[in-house]
Every structure is written in C-alpha cells, then in structure tokens.
Amino acid sequence: MFVPLVSAILAIIISVASFYLLQGEFPFISDNLSKVVKKNKLIFIGLNLIAFALFLGLVGYWLKLGGNFRYIRLLIIIVGLICVKIPLAKNINLFPNINPFFKRIITINNSQALQVFAGIIVSFLALKSIVAVDWPNGDSWMYQLPFAARFWGMVSPQEYVFEVEREPFYNASTMLPNILQGFFWWLFGLERPQGANLVSFFSFIGYLIFVKHYLKIPYYLSSLALLAVPLFHIAVTSAYVDLFTNIGFSITIIITYLLFIKEDFIKAKNVIIFIIGGFIAANSKYLLVPPLFLLILVVLGRILWLIFYRFNPVNKVKNTVKLLIISFTSGLLIFATEVKNLWFYQNPFYPLKVSLFGYELNHTVVPSSTYMADAIASMSPIQRWIFSLLEIGAFDERRPWPWTIAMDYVPLEADSFGMGGYFAFYVIFNVVLFAFLCKKKNPETRTALIFIIVLSLITPFMPFSYQLRYYMYWIIILISLNLYLLINHYSFTKNKWLKPENYGYVAAMVLMIFAILTRWDFTYPNAMSLEKFMSSRVDQEIIADIEENEEVCLVGFTPLTFLYSSSFHEGRNYSVKAEFNLSEEEVREKCDSRRIIRKN
C-alpha cells in the first residue's frame, strides 16, 4: 500500500506543478525554462500523462489489476516523457549550463532512440540464449537436442534410443543445424544445453549483417522489423531449426533478387554467399529443397540470358561451359544430404515416402495425413495460408501465451493448431506498405513485386504451409524488400511520412505489444538452468524405479523422454527407449523385450 500511495501523492504534486508551470508562476525554475514551458503546452500534457500513470498505480492496487496493467502505465509514462522531451530538445540552446548527461538524453534523435531500444532487445535475446534452456518448445527436446547430443557423443545410442520412426531421420535426414547445435552444447558442457540456442541467435545476427552489406539496411531497423514478428522473435532464442533454415533460403532469394536488378552482380563473393545460403537451406530441412531447386533454375536462366545478351559474345561458349561446371559442383555441395540419400537409399528425401511418376521410392516413414484439423483440411491451400497470415481462428485460450513457436499447446485436432504467428496487423501493414512502394515504377520495385507475387503463389501449396514457422522466408523477404525500397524511396523523395524511422516506430510498437502479451517470457533473459527445468518436469519416482543397467521403454513421455536418459542423472547407468503413446500391441512390438513404463 505504501508504494501506490506515494505514487498517487507524487502524481498530485506533478499535476499541480504543471498548472503553475503553464501559467509561468512556478518559482523554483530558471526564467528560460519557465518561458519554454509556458510556450509549449506539450510539456504540460506530458507531465499530466506521467501524473496520470502514477495515479493509476493506486487504482491498480485497489482493483487488484496486475500484469498488463503495469505495462499500460509504463507506456503512458514513456509517451509523457516524449511529450516533455520534444520541446526541451528544440530549445536546448537556452540551457547552456545543463548537465551533459541530461543534455545527451534530451537531444537524442529518432534513429538514436530506436538504436538504443533495438540494442536493449537484442542484448536481452543474446543473454536469454545463453542463460535459459529452450523450455517452452517441445520439439527441441523430442529430437533436435537428442540428435545434437548423439552426434557429439554426449549421449550414446545405448543410453537413449529414439522412437522407431525417428531413428532413420537421424541416420539420413538433414542434420546441419543439429550438428552446429551439438557443437555449441559440447563447448558449454552437457549440463548447459543453452549453447544449442546460439545457432538460431547467430543465424539472426548473420542475416542482419547480410542485409546491412547487400541492402544497406541499418542494423537497428532490420532487427526491430524482424523481431516484431512473433514466430521469428521466439525462434531467435530456441533450439528449433526453422529460423536457421529459412534465413539460409532468404539469403539465396535476396542474392537472386539483386542478380535481376544488377547485371554486374556475378562475382565470386556473391556466388559463395549464395552457395552458403543454399547449403544451409537444403541441409537443414527437406521442406525447402523443392523451392530452392526452382530458385536455382531461375538463377541459371538469368545468368544464361546475361551470357547471351549482355556479356561479350566472344566468350559465350567459354562462359556457358564455366557456368555448367560451377552449377554442377555447387549443386552437389548445396544438395549434399539429398545426393547422399539418393546414392545410398535411392530416395533424396529418405526416409520419407516420395512418389515419382507413380513409382514409390525407398522409404520407411509415411508422413501423417491426419495432422490437421478437419476445419483446416476442408479449406483450400490458399485459404488456409491467408487465414493463418491474418490469424483468423488462430488464438486459443488454452495456450499460455497468444503466440508460441509452433502455435501449439493445443490438441493436434484443434482448429487453432499451427495457425497464425506473424501478428496480423503487422502483416497487413507490410503488405500495404509494399503495395504503395511498388507504385513507383523502377527496376527495383518491378522485380520486388514479381518476387513477392511468385513467393505468394508458391508458398501456399507447400506442405503444411499454414504452419507459418516452416516458411518464414516469406515474411523475412517481404520485410527486407520493404526496408530496402523504403530507404531508397526516402533518399529521393524525403517524404516525412515514409521516413525509415517511422517503420522502426511501428515495428517497435508491435514488438512491445508482443512482449507485453507474452509477459516477456520470450524476450527477457530470465535464467532457466537444466537442473531447474528438469526439477518440475522429470518424475523422480520413474528414475528411482529403473534398475541399474536395465533397458526400459518409456511410453507417452514425449516430448521430454530424452531428459530421463541416465546421462542427465549422475551416478546412474541404464538404457531408455522413447515411444509414443500407441496401442498396446504397437507398443509391445516397438519396445521389443524392454520393460514398458507408461506415463500415468
């Protein structure tokens, strides 16, 4: 009660003082300051906003309003401080004796304020990546981290055995991000799997550097713009591989875009960057291999056109041969996993079932056809994708937060499962802005429009496209091209409404709304050690029930079965096999001779 009461008294004092200041009758300030305050009612408004927010503290205490109400008060205080700052900054020369520190704060400009804000948020996420295990996201513990741990020998194949369907994926599927995750985890030590989060975080930083170099987008602007997307923001500090994969693919798209607007863009450095981006995309997830292959064909077509119609005609044959050689060798590198699988298993997407001209390739896993709710399945692919972009039917009270990385925490058969994640208002804002920027006819806007249209026509027909985390490249490219075109547009027109900083303010606002609605759980670096994480999620009675050197099959413990491995329980030595909660007959078949322990 004491703090809210003091807050209310302070609010009354500030409000009363503001009225005297407006009349120029406040005796405790200099004449210059008195004149500035008297002439600028914005200061009066700002002081009363601050007073109002402070008084709301007492109201919140009486009505027991917590949580988001505190953030509303904080937002009002920030608006009030901005109202006070603007007139003072314009008249700063009237105060020659002001403290340098306060002068620096008062005179900070829009871009500097956004830089500070972006720096704080990115710093939070960097710390969160290091100090908190990926506790909200189930897939990380179901197979991403187990894959990483096995590859680097931190958990042996005897100590933890994957589900029957999961084992072939470890042996044959795209493992690049898991290998990198395991490396950082190995550096940090077995008890600190937080290291695996750095793969996503560093891929985010890498993309900021990439667009700064190639598109001349300031770091603060690109970071705020991307982090305003909920799925992107959550993925930055997680062990999911979707961000890493989509950033690789986004790099190849941006390089291709620049190839179409710059005829002198074919340089060794750019080719290498394209190959790196393609290698990341194709060796991280099968889903992006088909669109990446199509993109490479587009690139080859563009280069052939340049060879025949723009470059020196004397070197046509030589350049064509060189292109074919480089394309073949780089293709082998980019599609390394798929080439390996084709050689060993006669199926580039092994172990998944793939049919080619009616012929089924070698496989062991048939993708589930009952993975989406009936209501979602009844929609056309385009409708599903658009509904997901606009978050129609996406929100569900059963989720602890409005957004999660997989839009899960609801049953698989729920109509809201997997839907949404980009923040509908922000998607609409970016689409409208992009359409406006493309009204200006030039090679940059025409090519950007074609790219976005093509991406928007292809993406909805990709498998499970309504689960937006799989195809984040769409929003990444839309935002990146928006910023690129916006900066170029403003450099010519100087239109005050199209200042890049204004985009930054919109992104900052959306980011703050996201952070507030998710209680800062995906932003603020609250520490979460493995020990603390396991203490509330691992049933110690189960651990005690397993005998030394025993082989058991844990059924229904997904996605946290991995945490029951003896590797995480000092002094214990036994073997755990994971299995889904299936029928009794299926479980006995898959668990073989192991003792079966079902989750209660």
Side-chain angles (χ1 to χ4, degrees):
M1 179 64 182
F2 177 74
V3 173
L5 186 61
V6 171
S7 178
I9 294 171
L10 186 60
I12 295 171
I13 293 172
I14 291 175
S15 186
V16 170
S18 69
F19 280 96
Y20 281 102
L21 286 168
L22 188 63
Q23 301 299 321
E25 300 175 0
F26 199 74
F28 304 110
I29 61 174
S30 66
D31 292 339
N32 285 343
L33 182 57
S34 180
K35 290 177 183 177
V36 171
V37 175
K38 188 175 181 180
K39 290 181 180 179
N40 293 275
K41 292 184 180 180
L42 195 59
I43 295 179
F44 171 78
I45 294 171
L47 290 173
N48 278 278
L49 283 173
I50 294 170
F52 178 63
L54 292 172
F55 189 78
L56 286 178
L58 185 60
V59 174
Y61 178 79
W62 277 337
L63 300 179
K64 300 187 184 319
L65 301 175
N68 293 336
F69 187 71
R70 297 190 188 95
Y71 296 119
I72 294 172
R73 291 174 54 218
L74 177 61
L75 183 62
I76 295 173
I77 289 174
I78 292 173
V79 173
L81 290 172
I82 292 173
C83 290
V84 172
K85 171 198 170 300
I86 292 173
L88 292 178
K90 290 180 179 178
N91 296 276
I92 195 67
N93 293 330
L94 296 176
F95 313 111
N97 298 322
I98 190 172
N99 183 284
F101 175 75
F102 290 114
K103 182 178 181 180
R104 194 175 298 114
I105 293 176
I106 292 172
T107 56
I108 189 172
N109 60 35
N110 292 346
S111 62
Q112 289 172 334
L114 289 170
Q115 287 172 32
V116 171
F117 180 70
I120 291 171
I121 297 298
V122 173
S123 298
F124 278 0
L125 295 176
L127 288 172
K128 181 174 172 58
S129 299
I130 297 171
V131 303
V133 299
D134 189 12
W135 59 273
N137 304 312
D139 281 8
S140 297
W141 298 98
M142 192 187 303
Y143 55 92
Q144 307 291 6
L145 293 176
F147 282 4
R150 181 189 286 192
F151 185 88
W152 286 90
M154 291 182 285
V155 177
S156 71
Q158 291 74 38
E159 289 173 312
Y160 182 75
V161 183
F162 300 125
E163 300 90 343
V164 171
E165 288 82 1
R166 194 80 64 194
E167 190 72 28
F169 281 99
Y170 174 81
N171 295 323
S173 69
T174 47
M175 283 278 295
L176 175 62
N178 302 130
I179 293 171
L180 296 175
Q181 288 173 340
F183 172 71
F184 286 111
W185 187 358
W186 176 77
L187 285 179
F188 277 60
L190 180 64
E191 69 283 356
R192 292 185 62 83
Q194 297 96 310
N197 302 337
L198 291 176
V199 173
S200 292
F201 181 77
F202 285 152
S203 67
F204 163 60
I205 297 300
Y207 190 74
L208 298 186
I209 296 171
F210 170 77
V211 294
K212 169 65 175 173
H213 178 77
Y214 279 96
L215 301 181
K216 310 303 179 189
I217 301 173
Y219 292 119
Y220 78 90
L221 204 54
S222 56
S223 59
L224 289 177
L226 292 169
L227 291 174
V229 179
L231 291 191
F232 190 102
H233 190 119
I234 298 170
V236 166
T237 57
S238 83
Y240 273 48
V241 304
D242 302 283
L243 182 65
F244 179 74
T245 308
N246 279 275
I247 280 179
F249 189 43
S250 298
I251 287 172
T252 64
I253 296 173
I254 293 297
I255 292 291
T256 305
Y257 168 75
L258 294 173
L259 177 64
F260 272 85
I261 64 174
K262 299 179 180 181
E263 294 185 353
D264 61 344
F265 194 68
I266 304 175
K267 299 174 181 177
K269 178 188 71 173
N270 301 332
V271 172
I272 292 171
I273 295 296
F274 183 92
I275 292 173
I276 291 173
F279 180 76
I280 289 172
N283 294 278
S284 298
K285 225 164 191 183
Y286 286 143
L287 286 174
L288 295 186
V289 171
L292 175 63
F293 182 75
L294 292 176
L295 184 72
I296 290 175
L297 293 181
V298 171
V299 170
L300 293 178
R302 171 61 174 171
I303 296 176
L304 280 173
W305 186 87
L306 291 173
I307 289 173
F308 279 85
Y309 295 100
R310 286 291 184 268
F311 298 165
N312 189 337
V314 175
N315 297 323
K316 278 184 183 180
V317 176
K318 177 183 176 182
N319 288 336
T320 302
V321 172
K322 186 187 296 186
L323 172 64
L324 293 175
I325 294 173
I326 294 175
S327 300
F328 178 75
T329 53
S330 60
L332 291 177
L333 179 60
I334 289 173
F335 298 108
T337 298
E338 291 72 28
V339 171
K340 179 201 73 173
N341 287 343
L342 188 62
W343 180 266
F344 287 105
Y345 304 105
Q346 298 76 53
N347 179 356
F349 302 109
Y350 186 84
L352 294 174
K353 177 183 175 181
V354 176
S355 296
L356 189 63
F357 303 115
Y359 176 75
E360 288 187 4
L361 303 183
N362 180 31
H363 65 276
T364 60
V365 177
V366 179
S368 173
S369 58
T370 60
Y371 195 61
M372 64 175 75
D374 292 339
I376 298 175
S378 66
M379 301 180 192
S380 67
I382 292 178
Q383 184 185 1
R384 280 197 295 265
W385 186 64
I386 292 176
F387 270 43
S388 194
L389 287 179
L390 299 180
E391 299 187 312
I392 298 173
F395 299 111
D396 196 311
E397 292 182 354
R398 288 172 288 186
R399 288 196 189 101
W401 311 275
W403 298 277
T404 64
I405 193 170
M407 295 304 284
D408 48 4
Y409 280 84
V410 294
L412 282 174
E413 63 273 12
D415 294 346
S416 58
F417 185 88
M419 296 289 284
Y422 285 174
F423 204 120
F425 164 79
Y426 195 51
V427 172
I428 294 170
F429 165 76
N430 273 285
V431 170
V432 171
L433 175 62
F434 182 75
F436 179 82
L437 292 172
C438 286
K439 288 172 63 178
K440 185 178 180 181
K441 306 298 182 183
N442 57 44
E444 287 81 4
T445 56
R446 283 194 298 268
T447 307
L449 182 60
I450 292 171
F451 267 62
I452 292 299
I453 289 175
V454 171
L455 290 178
S456 301
L457 290 175
I458 292 176
T459 304
F461 295 96
M462 297 297 293
F464 300 103
S465 61
Y466 70 95
Q467 296 195 34
L468 301 179
R469 70 184 174 100
Y470 295 145
Y471 306 102
M472 280 191 282
Y473 66 80
W474 185 86
I475 193 69
I476 294 172
I477 295 301
L478 177 62
I479 290 172
S480 301
L481 291 180
N482 256 343
L483 292 176
Y484 175 68
L485 297 177
L486 183 64
I487 291 169
N488 287 346
H489 188 279
Y490 181 72
S491 66
F492 288 106
T493 65
K494 301 299 179 183
N495 186 327
K496 66 177 182 179
W497 294 105
L498 292 177
K499 291 177 67 174
E501 289 88 349
N502 292 343
Y503 187 111
Y505 279 121
V506 173
M509 177 192 71
V510 173
L511 195 160
M512 281 299 296
I513 293 172
F514 160 77
I516 290 169
L517 292 180
T518 54
R519 304 185 298 276
W520 293 82
D521 284 342
F522 300 112
T523 307
Y524 191 77
N526 285 315
M528 174 66 78
S529 66
L530 179 63
E531 181 181 4
K532 182 179 179 182
F533 177 68
M534 291 176 61
S535 65
S536 60
R537 291 167 175 83
V538 174
D539 188 341
Q540 291 300 322
E541 291 184 4
I542 299 294
I543 302 298
D545 183 50
I546 302 175
E547 297 179 4
E548 200 68 9
N549 299 316
E550 185 181 11
E551 295 183 345
V552 297
C553 186
L554 300 187
V555 178
F557 288 78
T558 304
L560 300 178
T561 318
F562 182 54
L563 296 176
Y564 286 83
S565 168
S566 61
S567 304
F568 301 109
H569 302 277
E570 191 174 356
R572 298 302 311 276
N573 182 31
Y574 54 83
S575 175
V576 164
K577 184 187 186 310
E579 201 47 72
F580 296 113
N581 194 11
L582 305 170
S583 68
E584 189 69 29
E585 183 180 344
E586 289 178 296
V587 167
R588 289 192 179 280
E589 179 185 350
K590 295 183 177 183
C591 290
D592 199 20
S593 60
R594 292 172 177 262
R595 179 162 71 95
I596 297 171
I597 302 177
R598 286 185 176 272
K599 188 172 185 179
N600 296 326

